[in-house]
Amino acid sequence: AVAPMYLKPRAPDVRDDDDDEEEELPPVVTWRQLESLQQSIQSIAAVIAFMSISIAVFVHELQYRGFVPPWELDCANPAADRVLCTINPSCSYGLVNTTVADNVRILTCFPLDDNRGLIDNLKIGNSALTLWLLVTVYFYYRYEANILSLRNHVEFVDRELEIHWLYTSGLQKWFMLEGFFLIISQVPYYSTDIVINSDLFSTRPTVYSLDGIIALLMVARAYEIWRWY
């Protein structure tokens, strides 16, 4: 006969709470997860860039003057044809004394005040979008530095997983260059026009709004949309 065996019950493990805290591993983020987070950040940057460009162009359109007549077709000119002349309420011609015998009339334009409140509010909103875009682009490069850290560790360039910042990874100069173009934005509560009184390009003076020139420069933000694809 086989003698019955009595198994001694195993005593429960007694573990201190401090041991659990010491044995907890830090959260692990994979290479693919970092790339997915980076793509999400870039999607946000693309949407912000599109919104800011659209607002800047709309601000420019709100200040569009239309046709600015030369002095010969300005209704303020007493010698102008009353049928063909054009009323020019936001600009005026003034006499300027020169060294030549004839005086020269210089065009001067004044900011349009019809939609001034709306324009300033749009500029303030666009300034906030610009700051948001800069922060988003920073995080894009920060994820790029983290991906570089994993890549160097996997390829045995760094035997230990090291944390790379923008400076150590060589990405700081590219972030600063991109930020230089992204920081260009229309200035709230300030509008002016650039008047070119020259007949080299046209028979009448040319008027460019400063907000229109800045809106043209802000089109460079479309790079964020291109990088999203």
Side-chain angles (χ1 to χ4, degrees):
V2 179
M5 298 179 61
Y6 297 94
L7 299 177
K8 185 178 179 180
R10 183 179 178 180
D13 295 337
V14 178
R15 304 178 66 180
D16 194 0
D17 294 338
D18 296 336
D19 296 337
D20 294 338
E21 295 180 358
E22 294 177 357
E23 295 181 1
E24 289 182 356
L25 296 177
V28 177
V29 180
T30 64
W31 191 335
R32 186 179 297 274
Q33 287 175 330
L34 284 176
E35 289 182 340
S36 178
L37 290 173
Q38 188 185 41
Q39 182 64 21
S40 299
I41 286 292
Q42 185 56 43
S43 300
I44 297 175
V47 173
I48 298 174
F50 176 78
M51 292 175 58
S52 62
I53 294 174
S54 301
I55 293 176
V57 173
F58 184 58
V59 168
H60 167 63
E61 291 298 325
L62 289 176
Q63 303 178 78
Y64 180 68
R65 297 181 182 276
F67 175 72
V68 178
W71 174 245
E72 293 75 17
L73 296 179
D74 196 324
C75 290
N77 182 4
D81 190 340
R82 298 295 98 181
V83 178
L84 301 178
C85 69
T86 302
I87 299 176
N88 189 16
S90 60
C91 300
S92 63
Y93 286 90
L95 287 175
V96 176
N97 295 326
T98 61
T99 56
V100 296
D102 297 332
N103 293 329
V104 177
R105 290 191 177 272
I106 300 298
L107 180 67
T108 303
C109 293
F110 309 97
L112 300 177
D113 296 330
D114 297 340
N115 302 300
R116 182 54 47 192
L118 176 60
I119 291 174
D120 290 333
N121 290 334
L122 290 174
K123 288 183 179 181
I124 293 174
N126 220 357
S127 298
L129 287 177
T130 299
L131 294 178
W132 189 10
L133 181 60
L134 288 172
V135 173
T136 304
V137 171
Y138 168 79
F139 278 103
Y140 174 87
Y141 280 98
R142 190 69 190 90
Y143 281 124
E144 186 70 22
N146 292 337
I147 292 174
L148 181 63
S149 300
L150 283 178
R151 182 176 180 181
N152 290 338
H153 178 63
V154 171
E155 296 178 355
F156 302 102
V157 178
D158 297 332
R159 292 190 176 275
E160 295 183 0
L161 183 60
E162 297 182 359
I163 299 177
H164 285 282
W165 299 92
L166 299 188
Y167 176 76
T168 59
S169 61
L171 296 173
Q172 184 178 11
K173 59 182 179 181
W174 301 113
F175 168 69
M176 294 181 65
L177 179 62
E178 189 170 339
F180 173 78
F181 288 97
L182 295 179
I183 203 172
I184 299 174
S185 180
Q186 295 165 336
V187 182
Y189 303 107
Y190 180 77
S191 297
T192 187
D193 294 290
I194 299 175
V195 181
I196 301 178
N197 292 279
S198 174
D199 55 356
L200 295 178
F201 307 102
S202 177
T203 58
R204 59 187 178 90
T206 306
V207 182
Y208 299 100
S209 68
L210 179 61
D211 289 331
I213 297 175
I214 295 177
L216 181 62
L217 296 176
M218 290 177 64
V219 176
R221 300 184 181 192
Y223 169 74
E224 302 298 331
I225 305 175
W226 175 83
R227 186 165 61 181
W228 178 53
Y229 284 102

